[in-house]
Amino acid sequence: MEILGAWARGWAVSRAVAAPVEEPDGHRLDVGMPGHRVRYLLRSPSTVASRARTVAAPGTWLKTCGPRAAVLAGLTAEWEAGETEYLMTFEGPVPAVAAPPGYAVAVTGAGPAWDVAVSCDGASAARGRVAVADGVAVFDKIETEPEHRRRGLGRVVMHRLSAAAGVGSSALLATEAGRGLYASLGWRVVSELVPAHVPEGAA
């Protein structure tokens, strides 16, 4: 699934970690953070069982494209599964949206990553980041503060990030909560993606 690799490369740029390493069944990201040492992105559930047995070190994550039931069936007892996420894509510029009255928008960065911050009376209201790798804009860390939700700020952030990136193909990984917003903007789901990890320091 080529979009999985595109997303991985952009995510690595966004998070300032090493570029992903190709694996026979997907990609490996050496993240190097407490609780998140390494991440494997698998193209299908077919290799979950073998991976679950062989890479079950604390701080290891598996994120697998495919139906949730098939992914869970391959996990061993060490692994804790998270909520299903959605790998999504979009072609073309994200539609323009003006910020509501009283909100200011700032764009920072000179590529290959940019940040957008929306503020109200000097306080943070919404934010997001986009990173471009191999001609694909990968959207990351999109967030709106609870007291500023339902005012269209997510759409404002997405538009300004898309304009900063200036490329025609985009990808992101959405939560269940975020999927509706992106779908309303014309994004389409390419695959479900099921995360699981082995916790660090559980003992």
PDB file of all heavy atoms in Angstrom, residues 64-93:
ATOM      1  N   THR A  64      -1.308  -1.710  12.005  1.00  0.00           N
ATOM      2  CA  THR A  64      -1.581  -2.642  10.916  1.00  0.00           C
ATOM      3  C   THR A  64      -2.801  -2.229  10.114  1.00  0.00           C
ATOM      4  O   THR A  64      -3.865  -1.954  10.687  1.00  0.00           O
ATOM      5  CB  THR A  64      -1.810  -4.057  11.471  1.00  0.00           C
ATOM      6  OG1 THR A  64      -0.699  -4.414  12.301  1.00  0.00           O
ATOM      7  CG2 THR A  64      -1.953  -5.058  10.341  1.00  0.00           C
ATOM      8  N   CYS A  65      -2.660  -2.179   8.798  1.00  0.00           N
ATOM      9  CA  CYS A  65      -3.784  -1.911   7.907  1.00  0.00           C
ATOM     10  C   CYS A  65      -4.639  -3.171   7.783  1.00  0.00           C
ATOM     11  O   CYS A  65      -4.110  -4.256   7.531  1.00  0.00           O
ATOM     12  CB  CYS A  65      -3.291  -1.488   6.523  1.00  0.00           C
ATOM     13  SG  CYS A  65      -2.459   0.109   6.484  1.00  0.00           S
ATOM     14  N   GLY A  66      -5.946  -3.013   7.951  1.00  0.00           N
ATOM     15  CA  GLY A  66      -6.839  -4.148   7.772  1.00  0.00           C
ATOM     16  C   GLY A  66      -7.934  -4.183   8.806  1.00  0.00           C
ATOM     17  O   GLY A  66      -7.971  -3.358   9.725  1.00  0.00           O
ATOM     18  N   PRO A  67      -8.846  -5.145   8.679  1.00  0.00           N
ATOM     19  CA  PRO A  67      -9.970  -5.242   9.611  1.00  0.00           C
ATOM     20  C   PRO A  67      -9.503  -5.498  11.043  1.00  0.00           C
ATOM     21  O   PRO A  67      -8.567  -6.267  11.280  1.00  0.00           O
ATOM     22  CB  PRO A  67     -10.765  -6.440   9.072  1.00  0.00           C
ATOM     23  CG  PRO A  67     -10.336  -6.594   7.652  1.00  0.00           C
ATOM     24  CD  PRO A  67      -8.902  -6.151   7.617  1.00  0.00           C
ATOM     25  N   ARG A  68     -10.159  -4.885  11.984  1.00  0.00           N
ATOM     26  CA  ARG A  68      -9.742  -4.974  13.389  1.00  0.00           C
ATOM     27  C   ARG A  68      -9.718  -6.417  13.894  1.00  0.00           C
ATOM     28  O   ARG A  68      -8.767  -6.833  14.563  1.00  0.00           O
ATOM     29  CB  ARG A  68     -10.682  -4.127  14.245  1.00  0.00           C
ATOM     30  CG  ARG A  68     -10.271  -4.068  15.721  1.00  0.00           C
ATOM     31  CD  ARG A  68     -11.155  -3.131  16.530  1.00  0.00           C
ATOM     32  NE  ARG A  68     -10.671  -3.064  17.902  1.00  0.00           N
ATOM     33  CZ  ARG A  68      -9.738  -2.216  18.327  1.00  0.00           C
ATOM     34  NH1 ARG A  68      -9.185  -1.380  17.470  1.00  0.00           N
ATOM     35  NH2 ARG A  68      -9.355  -2.203  19.589  1.00  0.00           N
ATOM     36  N   ALA A  69     -10.752  -7.175  13.575  1.00  0.00           N
ATOM     37  CA  ALA A  69     -10.813  -8.550  14.075  1.00  0.00           C
ATOM     38  C   ALA A  69      -9.632  -9.373  13.603  1.00  0.00           C
ATOM     39  O   ALA A  69      -9.076 -10.180  14.356  1.00  0.00           O
ATOM     40  CB  ALA A  69     -12.126  -9.202  13.640  1.00  0.00           C
ATOM     41  N   ALA A  70      -9.222  -9.177  12.359  1.00  0.00           N
ATOM     42  CA  ALA A  70      -8.096  -9.932  11.817  1.00  0.00           C
ATOM     43  C   ALA A  70      -6.792  -9.541  12.499  1.00  0.00           C
ATOM     44  O   ALA A  70      -5.919 -10.385  12.734  1.00  0.00           O
ATOM     45  CB  ALA A  70      -7.993  -9.718  10.310  1.00  0.00           C
ATOM     46  N   VAL A  71      -6.639  -8.269  12.818  1.00  0.00           N
ATOM     47  CA  VAL A  71      -5.424  -7.815  13.507  1.00  0.00           C
ATOM     48  C   VAL A  71      -5.389  -8.368  14.929  1.00  0.00           C
ATOM     49  O   VAL A  71      -4.374  -8.926  15.377  1.00  0.00           O
ATOM     50  CB  VAL A  71      -5.346  -6.283  13.523  1.00  0.00           C
ATOM     51  CG1 VAL A  71      -4.141  -5.820  14.349  1.00  0.00           C
ATOM     52  CG2 VAL A  71      -5.263  -5.730  12.109  1.00  0.00           C
ATOM     53  N   LEU A  72      -6.478  -8.240  15.645  1.00  0.00           N
ATOM     54  CA  LEU A  72      -6.507  -8.689  17.034  1.00  0.00           C
ATOM     55  C   LEU A  72      -6.261 -10.185  17.140  1.00  0.00           C
ATOM     56  O   LEU A  72      -5.660 -10.653  18.115  1.00  0.00           O
ATOM     57  CB  LEU A  72      -7.853  -8.335  17.670  1.00  0.00           C
ATOM     58  CG  LEU A  72      -8.189  -6.847  17.777  1.00  0.00           C
ATOM     59  CD1 LEU A  72      -9.499  -6.652  18.532  1.00  0.00           C
ATOM     60  CD2 LEU A  72      -7.065  -6.067  18.439  1.00  0.00           C
ATOM     61  N   ALA A  73      -6.699 -10.929  16.154  1.00  0.00           N
ATOM     62  CA  ALA A  73      -6.530 -12.381  16.186  1.00  0.00           C
ATOM     63  C   ALA A  73      -5.062 -12.788  16.173  1.00  0.00           C
ATOM     64  O   ALA A  73      -4.708 -13.876  16.654  1.00  0.00           O
ATOM     65  CB  ALA A  73      -7.258 -13.021  15.005  1.00  0.00           C
ATOM     66  N   GLY A  74      -4.194 -11.925  15.641  1.00  0.00           N
ATOM     67  CA  GLY A  74      -2.780 -12.260  15.562  1.00  0.00           C
ATOM     68  C   GLY A  74      -1.951 -11.813  16.747  1.00  0.00           C
ATOM     69  O   GLY A  74      -0.778 -12.179  16.857  1.00  0.00           O
ATOM     70  N   LEU A  75      -2.513 -11.023  17.649  1.00  0.00           N
ATOM     71  CA  LEU A  75      -1.740 -10.481  18.771  1.00  0.00           C
ATOM     72  C   LEU A  75      -1.601 -11.498  19.892  1.00  0.00           C
ATOM     73  O   LEU A  75      -2.505 -12.289  20.152  1.00  0.00           O
ATOM     74  CB  LEU A  75      -2.415  -9.214  19.309  1.00  0.00           C
ATOM     75  CG  LEU A  75      -2.504  -8.026  18.356  1.00  0.00           C
ATOM     76  CD1 LEU A  75      -3.276  -6.886  19.009  1.00  0.00           C
ATOM     77  CD2 LEU A  75      -1.111  -7.553  17.934  1.00  0.00           C
ATOM     78  N   THR A  76      -0.463 -11.444  20.572  1.00  0.00           N
ATOM     79  CA  THR A  76      -0.245 -12.266  21.764  1.00  0.00           C
ATOM     80  C   THR A  76      -0.560 -11.434  23.010  1.00  0.00           C
ATOM     81  O   THR A  76      -0.866 -10.243  22.929  1.00  0.00           O
ATOM     82  CB  THR A  76       1.199 -12.779  21.800  1.00  0.00           C
ATOM     83  OG1 THR A  76       2.090 -11.656  21.663  1.00  0.00           O
ATOM     84  CG2 THR A  76       1.462 -13.750  20.657  1.00  0.00           C
ATOM     85  N   ALA A  77      -0.461 -12.089  24.180  1.00  0.00           N
ATOM     86  CA  ALA A  77      -0.954 -11.472  25.415  1.00  0.00           C
ATOM     87  C   ALA A  77      -0.202 -10.199  25.806  1.00  0.00           C
ATOM     88  O   ALA A  77      -0.743  -9.354  26.526  1.00  0.00           O
ATOM     89  CB  ALA A  77      -0.882 -12.492  26.552  1.00  0.00           C
ATOM     90  N   GLU A  78       1.036 -10.036  25.337  1.00  0.00           N
ATOM     91  CA  GLU A  78       1.822  -8.856  25.729  1.00  0.00           C
ATOM     92  C   GLU A  78       1.266  -7.552  25.159  1.00  0.00           C
ATOM     93  O   GLU A  78       1.535  -6.469  25.683  1.00  0.00           O
ATOM     94  CB  GLU A  78       3.279  -8.987  25.270  1.00  0.00           C
ATOM     95  CG  GLU A  78       4.016 -10.192  25.836  1.00  0.00           C
ATOM     96  CD  GLU A  78       3.996 -11.364  24.883  1.00  0.00           C
ATOM     97  OE1 GLU A  78       2.987 -11.539  24.166  1.00  0.00           O
ATOM     98  OE2 GLU A  78       4.990 -12.099  24.854  1.00  0.00           O
ATOM     99  N   TRP A  79       0.525  -7.670  24.070  1.00  0.00           N
ATOM    100  CA  TRP A  79       0.136  -6.489  23.310  1.00  0.00           C
ATOM    101  C   TRP A  79      -1.184  -5.898  23.804  1.00  0.00           C
ATOM    102  O   TRP A  79      -2.126  -6.622  24.099  1.00  0.00           O
ATOM    103  CB  TRP A  79       0.004  -6.837  21.824  1.00  0.00           C
ATOM    104  CG  TRP A  79       1.297  -7.265  21.224  1.00  0.00           C
ATOM    105  CD1 TRP A  79       1.816  -8.529  21.190  1.00  0.00           C
ATOM    106  CD2 TRP A  79       2.256  -6.420  20.590  1.00  0.00           C
ATOM    107  NE1 TRP A  79       3.039  -8.529  20.569  1.00  0.00           N
ATOM    108  CE2 TRP A  79       3.336  -7.255  20.186  1.00  0.00           C
ATOM    109  CE3 TRP A  79       2.303  -5.055  20.310  1.00  0.00           C
ATOM    110  CZ2 TRP A  79       4.447  -6.746  19.535  1.00  0.00           C
ATOM    111  CZ3 TRP A  79       3.415  -4.550  19.654  1.00  0.00           C
ATOM    112  CH2 TRP A  79       4.471  -5.387  19.274  1.00  0.00           C
ATOM    113  N   GLU A  80      -1.227  -4.575  23.849  1.00  0.00           N
ATOM    114  CA  GLU A  80      -2.458  -3.845  24.164  1.00  0.00           C
ATOM    115  C   GLU A  80      -2.918  -3.103  22.912  1.00  0.00           C
ATOM    116  O   GLU A  80      -2.173  -2.283  22.365  1.00  0.00           O
ATOM    117  CB  GLU A  80      -2.235  -2.842  25.296  1.00  0.00           C
ATOM    118  CG  GLU A  80      -1.935  -3.486  26.641  1.00  0.00           C
ATOM    119  CD  GLU A  80      -1.851  -2.467  27.761  1.00  0.00           C
ATOM    120  OE1 GLU A  80      -2.115  -1.264  27.510  1.00  0.00           O
ATOM    121  OE2 GLU A  80      -1.498  -2.870  28.889  1.00  0.00           O
ATOM    122  N   ALA A  81      -4.125  -3.392  22.462  1.00  0.00           N
ATOM    123  CA  ALA A  81      -4.652  -2.752  21.252  1.00  0.00           C
ATOM    124  C   ALA A  81      -5.319  -1.429  21.603  1.00  0.00           C
ATOM    125  O   ALA A  81      -5.963  -1.295  22.644  1.00  0.00           O
ATOM    126  CB  ALA A  81      -5.655  -3.670  20.561  1.00  0.00           C
ATOM    127  N   GLY A  82      -5.152  -0.451  20.715  1.00  0.00           N
ATOM    128  CA  GLY A  82      -5.810   0.837  20.870  1.00  0.00           C
ATOM    129  C   GLY A  82      -7.009   0.955  19.946  1.00  0.00           C
ATOM    130  O   GLY A  82      -7.349   0.023  19.201  1.00  0.00           O
ATOM    131  N   GLU A  83      -7.656   2.090  19.981  1.00  0.00           N
ATOM    132  CA  GLU A  83      -8.816   2.318  19.125  1.00  0.00           C
ATOM    133  C   GLU A  83      -8.406   2.367  17.658  1.00  0.00           C
ATOM    134  O   GLU A  83      -7.329   2.852  17.311  1.00  0.00           O
ATOM    135  CB  GLU A  83      -9.503   3.627  19.515  1.00  0.00           C
ATOM    136  CG  GLU A  83     -10.127   3.598  20.898  1.00  0.00           C
ATOM    137  CD  GLU A  83     -10.904   4.870  21.189  1.00  0.00           C
ATOM    138  OE1 GLU A  83     -11.000   5.737  20.293  1.00  0.00           O
ATOM    139  OE2 GLU A  83     -11.409   4.985  22.313  1.00  0.00           O
ATOM    140  N   THR A  84      -9.279   1.874  16.813  1.00  0.00           N
ATOM    141  CA  THR A  84      -9.020   1.870  15.371  1.00  0.00           C
ATOM    142  C   THR A  84      -8.825   3.288  14.846  1.00  0.00           C
ATOM    143  O   THR A  84      -9.545   4.219  15.225  1.00  0.00           O
ATOM    144  CB  THR A  84     -10.181   1.193  14.629  1.00  0.00           C
ATOM    145  OG1 THR A  84     -10.316  -0.150  15.108  1.00  0.00           O
ATOM    146  CG2 THR A  84      -9.940   1.166  13.127  1.00  0.00           C
ATOM    147  N   GLU A  85      -7.827   3.449  13.975  1.00  0.00           N
ATOM    148  CA  GLU A  85      -7.559   4.706  13.293  1.00  0.00           C
ATOM    149  C   GLU A  85      -7.839   4.523  11.810  1.00  0.00           C
ATOM    150  O   GLU A  85      -8.120   3.401  11.357  1.00  0.00           O
ATOM    151  CB  GLU A  85      -6.113   5.144  13.548  1.00  0.00           C
ATOM    152  CG  GLU A  85      -5.815   5.340  15.035  1.00  0.00           C
ATOM    153  CD  GLU A  85      -4.334   5.526  15.314  1.00  0.00           C
ATOM    154  OE1 GLU A  85      -3.498   5.014  14.531  1.00  0.00           O
ATOM    155  OE2 GLU A  85      -4.000   6.170  16.316  1.00  0.00           O
ATOM    156  N   TYR A  86      -7.743   5.607  11.051  1.00  0.00           N
ATOM    157  CA  TYR A  86      -8.113   5.563   9.636  1.00  0.00           C
ATOM    158  C   TYR A  86      -7.074   6.299   8.809  1.00  0.00           C
ATOM    159  O   TYR A  86      -6.826   7.493   9.019  1.00  0.00           O
ATOM    160  CB  TYR A  86      -9.497   6.184   9.431  1.00  0.00           C
ATOM    161  CG  TYR A  86     -10.560   5.468  10.227  1.00  0.00           C
ATOM    162  CD1 TYR A  86     -10.854   5.865  11.535  1.00  0.00           C
ATOM    163  CD2 TYR A  86     -11.219   4.358   9.713  1.00  0.00           C
ATOM    164  CE1 TYR A  86     -11.787   5.186  12.295  1.00  0.00           C
ATOM    165  CE2 TYR A  86     -12.162   3.672  10.471  1.00  0.00           C
ATOM    166  CZ  TYR A  86     -12.444   4.091  11.755  1.00  0.00           C
ATOM    167  OH  TYR A  86     -13.367   3.408  12.511  1.00  0.00           O
ATOM    168  N   LEU A  87      -6.470   5.568   7.879  1.00  0.00           N
ATOM    169  CA  LEU A  87      -5.542   6.170   6.933  1.00  0.00           C
ATOM    170  C   LEU A  87      -6.368   6.798   5.813  1.00  0.00           C
ATOM    171  O   LEU A  87      -7.151   6.118   5.158  1.00  0.00           O
ATOM    172  CB  LEU A  87      -4.600   5.101   6.379  1.00  0.00           C
ATOM    173  CG  LEU A  87      -3.466   5.569   5.470  1.00  0.00           C
ATOM    174  CD1 LEU A  87      -2.519   6.509   6.211  1.00  0.00           C
ATOM    175  CD2 LEU A  87      -2.692   4.353   4.944  1.00  0.00           C
ATOM    176  N   MET A  88      -6.211   8.119   5.622  1.00  0.00           N
ATOM    177  CA  MET A  88      -7.058   8.858   4.697  1.00  0.00           C
ATOM    178  C   MET A  88      -6.209   9.653   3.711  1.00  0.00           C
ATOM    179  O   MET A  88      -5.077  10.047   4.026  1.00  0.00           O
ATOM    180  CB  MET A  88      -8.001   9.813   5.462  1.00  0.00           C
ATOM    181  CG  MET A  88      -8.856   9.121   6.502  1.00  0.00           C
ATOM    182  SD  MET A  88     -10.031  10.238   7.354  1.00  0.00           S
ATOM    183  CE  MET A  88     -11.280  10.479   6.066  1.00  0.00           C
ATOM    184  N   THR A  89      -6.771   9.895   2.524  1.00  0.00           N
ATOM    185  CA  THR A  89      -6.069  10.658   1.504  1.00  0.00           C
ATOM    186  C   THR A  89      -6.988  11.714   0.904  1.00  0.00           C
ATOM    187  O   THR A  89      -8.219  11.641   1.011  1.00  0.00           O
ATOM    188  CB  THR A  89      -5.554   9.756   0.369  1.00  0.00           C
ATOM    189  OG1 THR A  89      -6.665   9.106  -0.252  1.00  0.00           O
ATOM    190  CG2 THR A  89      -4.575   8.732   0.886  1.00  0.00           C
ATOM    191  N   PHE A  90      -6.353  12.685   0.259  1.00  0.00           N
ATOM    192  CA  PHE A  90      -7.083  13.763  -0.397  1.00  0.00           C
ATOM    193  C   PHE A  90      -6.264  14.224  -1.591  1.00  0.00           C
ATOM    194  O   PHE A  90      -5.036  14.310  -1.512  1.00  0.00           O
ATOM    195  CB  PHE A  90      -7.296  14.934   0.572  1.00  0.00           C
ATOM    196  CG  PHE A  90      -8.163  16.046   0.041  1.00  0.00           C
ATOM    197  CD1 PHE A  90      -9.537  15.981   0.137  1.00  0.00           C
ATOM    198  CD2 PHE A  90      -7.591  17.161  -0.572  1.00  0.00           C
ATOM    199  CE1 PHE A  90     -10.342  16.998  -0.354  1.00  0.00           C
ATOM    200  CE2 PHE A  90      -8.381  18.181  -1.061  1.00  0.00           C
ATOM    201  CZ  PHE A  90      -9.761  18.102  -0.954  1.00  0.00           C
ATOM    202  N   GLU A  91      -6.949  14.525  -2.685  1.00  0.00           N
ATOM    203  CA  GLU A  91      -6.273  15.045  -3.869  1.00  0.00           C
ATOM    204  C   GLU A  91      -6.740  16.470  -4.138  1.00  0.00           C
ATOM    205  O   GLU A  91      -7.943  16.743  -4.149  1.00  0.00           O
ATOM    206  CB  GLU A  91      -6.574  14.165  -5.087  1.00  0.00           C
ATOM    207  CG  GLU A  91      -5.976  12.762  -4.997  1.00  0.00           C
ATOM    208  CD  GLU A  91      -4.456  12.775  -4.944  1.00  0.00           C
ATOM    209  OE1 GLU A  91      -3.837  13.651  -5.584  1.00  0.00           O
ATOM    210  OE2 GLU A  91      -3.888  11.917  -4.251  1.00  0.00           O
ATOM    211  N   GLY A  92      -5.779  17.368  -4.355  1.00  0.00           N
ATOM    212  CA  GLY A  92      -6.103  18.760  -4.634  1.00  0.00           C
ATOM    213  C   GLY A  92      -5.987  19.626  -3.399  1.00  0.00           C
ATOM    214  O   GLY A  92      -5.731  19.138  -2.296  1.00  0.00           O
ATOM    215  N   PRO A  93      -6.173  20.938  -3.562  1.00  0.00           N
ATOM    216  CA  PRO A  93      -6.095  21.848  -2.419  1.00  0.00           C
ATOM    217  C   PRO A  93      -7.305  21.699  -1.504  1.00  0.00           C
ATOM    218  O   PRO A  93      -8.429  21.511  -1.966  1.00  0.00           O
ATOM    219  CB  PRO A  93      -6.060  23.237  -3.069  1.00  0.00           C
ATOM    220  CG  PRO A  93      -6.766  23.046  -4.377  1.00  0.00           C
ATOM    221  CD  PRO A  93      -6.430  21.656  -4.829  1.00  0.00           C
TER     222      PRO A  93
END
